[in-house]
Amino acid sequence: MTAETATAEAGRDFIRDIVQADLASHKYNEIVTRFPPEPNGYLHIGHAKSIALNFGIAQEFAGHCNLRFDDTNPTKEEQEYIDAIQADVRWLGYQWAGQPLFASDYFDRLYEWAEGLIRAGLAYVDDQSQEEIRANRGTLTEPGKNSPFRDRSVAENLDLFRRMKAGEFPNGARVLRARIDMAAGNINLRDPVLYRILHAHHPRTGDKWSIYPSYDYAHGQSDAIEGITHSICTLEFEDHRPLYDWFIEKLPVPSRPHQYEFARLNLTYTVLSKRVLTQLVREGHVAGWDDPRMPTVAGLRRRGVPPAAIREFVRRIGVAKANSVVDVGMLEFCIREELNRTALRRMAVLRPLKVVIENYPEGQVEEIEAVNHPDDPSRGTRKLAFGRELYIERDDFMENPPKKFFRLSPGNEVRLRYAYFIKCTGVTKNAAGEITELRCTYDPATRGGNAPDGRKVKATMHWLPAAQSIAAEIRLYNQLFAKPSPDAANFAADLNPQSLEVLADARVEPAIAEANSPEPMQFERQGYFVRDPDSTADRVVFNRTIGLRDTFAKEVGKR
Ligand code: ATP
Ligand code: MG
């Protein structure tokens, strides 16, 4: 990263301003940040904001960013999540410095420091139950009550703490608390818990520990051990900062990190809480963490959202100090912009209607050239077969059209993209009165899609040859939630019953099916689509990443 880019990126938000000032004043010579996920679920787009901020700042200011797993709660954490988080950070386009780090790597040191606090009279073992501790904590307006165990001797505290560590006591029997001030205005300073007893197997430390540190105790000290300069977290930790600073002040830590808070990302029609996302998966509301309707990084990837679109989205929303809700339309805008630039154009018919061109010779097939990207001739062309039997989109035809309907209807002429003008001459129906086939004629003089006599048509439609196209399943996704601000406490009631529509009989051009490409494509007039890993040798499956235009807002408005 050049100095020039560093200046260009500075001034973009208050955190970058602070970072730049700290470099200018030589408070630090190198900026060190970290992204600290708890491995208790998959990453979501809110985490992408934090990732882009932490890794982005390190990149822009020539520092480094650690990936540190905050693995202090072994009952909820799993190796699957540790692996998925690493894959997702890389996919987003970021790389951490060195190996991934773990708060559990510091358990020994954290323990030593806790004994140090006990010796200094700054921590004690409390035998009160969880309920008693909660009841005695006080409220925003009333001070808390001192624990009857608060004045234990150093020797007794050390003995009990060591026996907690040795596994002598059952879960919940005792905790280690900081000895600060039960009357502090900030509740986080009312003797917070540093260690709890938990007989649980840890993915990395196995059965070594029967006590585990709290987030508040582990986090800042891990930052200090790693030499983090700017510990960037979300606003809900603002009230924890005095405690963060208290530990840094009292403990013999090797460096003095500072915590900065920014507003977390909230998105309309979306819930960004790992608790809710876990429930969506466990209760089967979605097919898994990577269900394309999920706001997880894995879900967005499976849906076909390019990482560049996520990075651009995060850049546009910026970093602020006040919480707000971002319109999901902003994310969709960024996805469309990126895909419009990069996606190859292809043709697919989502809901096919058979067309027979009566004046086209039986058995004849010709090749029609189609461009791969209208704005980028270097991406070349491909050939489509045109013959007597074709498919068009079912809703591109109306037997009794209203006035403003310019697509195909009896007697009306339209253009088939890249091919010919056609006119509908008749309709075939089944016993139920449903249209099964259209009879049409084509004008051989309009090859390439223009009439030599200069006559115009008002519609250009996509199409596919019946024999030379391939059957496909296409999955259309809508917002997972039907409400702009779903209720996280009762999210099931706000789920959108129409979030998934499966089209089992779609047709796609051979170039789509054969490509076996993980890159999203534009299906002309329909949107952007990507091949789903559920595809097999016999059956291709596509996910709609996003439609060409924003139809959702209108649809919701109608309800
Ligand atoms: P939960 O969803 O239960 O609140 P979490 O998302 O905070 O959990 P962590 O693994 O602790 O889970 O998050 C890792 C980092 O990502 C933290 O620094 C956190 O502040 C940040 N983060 C989490 N959610 C968001 C969000 N919506 N917007 C921005 N940053 C976020
Ligand atoms: Mg968290």
Side-chain angles (χ1 to χ4, degrees), residues 68 141 199 201 257 303 355 410:
R68 183 204 314 142
T141 49
H199 295 271
H201 186 86
R303 182 145 172 175
V355 168

Side-chain angles (χ1 to χ4, degrees), residues 75-361:
T75 54
K76 291 209 177 135
E77 295 159 6
E78 288 173 29
Q79 187 63 39
E80 178 194 347
Y81 301 139
I82 294 177
D83 297 338
I85 287 168
Q86 295 183 46
D88 288 349
V89 171
R90 281 212 193 88
W91 179 77
L92 283 169
Y94 298 102
Q95 182 58 52
W96 49 91
Q99 293 297 312
L101 303 172
F102 295 83
S104 56
D105 296 340
Y106 315 132
F107 280 177
D108 284 315
R109 228 171 321 175
L110 292 171
Y111 176 84
E112 290 307 321
W113 286 340
E115 284 206 352
L117 288 176
I118 293 174
R119 278 192 214 95
L122 295 173
Y124 63 97
V125 172
D126 193 349
D127 300 355
Q128 291 183 105
S129 68
Q130 238 182 46
E131 295 71 45
E132 286 168 319
I133 290 179
R134 198 174 308 126
N136 291 333
R137 188 170 290 144
T139 64
L140 284 175
T141 49
E142 280 168 53
K145 285 195 202 86
N146 282 357
S147 164
F149 305 96
R150 199 170 192 266
D151 295 315
R152 275 179 161 149
S153 70
V154 167
E156 191 186 357
N157 278 320
L158 270 181
D159 172 63
L160 285 171
F161 187 46
R162 285 175 185 164
R163 287 163 63 197
M164 280 168 64
K165 177 180 182 240
E168 264 187 47
F169 311 119
N171 288 354
R174 297 188 155 90
V175 293
L176 183 75
R177 298 179 75 174
R179 198 161 180 279
I180 307 180
D181 179 4
M182 286 307 290
N186 183 333
I187 294 185
N188 292 298
L189 294 177
R190 294 184 190 168
D191 293 9
V193 171
L194 307 192
Y195 275 91
R196 61 208 189 285
I197 300 173
L198 192 63
H199 295 271
H201 186 86
H202 187 284
R204 295 181 61 84
T205 58
D207 298 313
K208 175 173 176 189
W209 295 92
S210 5
I211 54 173
Y212 288 94
S214 63
Y215 169 90
D216 279 326
Y217 180 57
H219 198 87
Q221 282 48 263
S222 302
D223 286 343
I225 291 168
E226 292 175 12
I228 302 300
T229 54
H230 298 75
S231 178
I232 304 167
C233 64
T234 36
L235 274 183
E236 65 270 26
F237 293 104
E238 192 168 17
D239 289 346
H240 296 239
R241 187 168 6 110
L243 179 56
Y244 185 103
D245 292 341
W246 188 88
F247 287 126
I248 297 290
E249 169 84 34
K250 304 293 180 197
L251 292 169
V253 289
S255 81
R256 301 189 128 259
H258 190 85
Q259 176 183 297
Y260 298 93
E261 307 88 16
F262 71 100
R264 64 193 292 124
L265 172 67
N266 300 299
L267 265 186
T268 56
Y269 295 100
T270 311
V271 177
L272 296 180
S273 142
K274 271 194 272 189
R275 183 186 57 76
V276 171
L277 298 181
T278 305
Q279 262 177 287
L280 285 168
V281 173
R282 298 233 167 108
E283 294 170 11
H285 300 290
V286 294
W289 284 99
D290 69 345
D291 186 300
R293 292 165 292 179
M294 290 281 273
T296 51
V297 174
L300 293 164
R301 175 170 58 232
R302 184 163 178 186
R303 182 145 172 175
V305 173
I310 299 176
R311 291 194 299 266
E312 174 60 13
F313 168 69
V314 167
R315 197 190 65 76
R316 276 172 185 263
I317 57 175
V319 178
K321 192 105 197 154
N323 278 317
S324 65
V325 182
V326 175
D327 190 327
V328 73
M330 169 88 100
L331 173 61
E332 296 179 344
F333 172 83
C334 295
I335 298 169
R336 284 192 189 97
E337 249 202 355
E338 176 68 15
L339 291 179
N340 182 42
R341 209 168 52 74
T342 57
L344 290 174
R345 272 48 171 179
R346 294 289 181 255
M347 292 215 267
V349 177
L350 271 47
R351 299 170 183 88
L353 175 59
K354 172 81 77 66
V355 168
V356 179
I357 311 284
E358 291 183 306
N359 61 339
Y360 196 88

Side-chain angles (χ1 to χ4, degrees), residues 40-62:
N40 61 349
Y42 280 58
L43 297 180
H44 54 60
I45 183 138
H47 294 114
K49 177 178 180 181
S50 173
I51 289 168
L53 184 60
N54 281 295
F55 286 92
I57 284 179
Q59 260 173 27
E60 290 154 29
F61 295 95

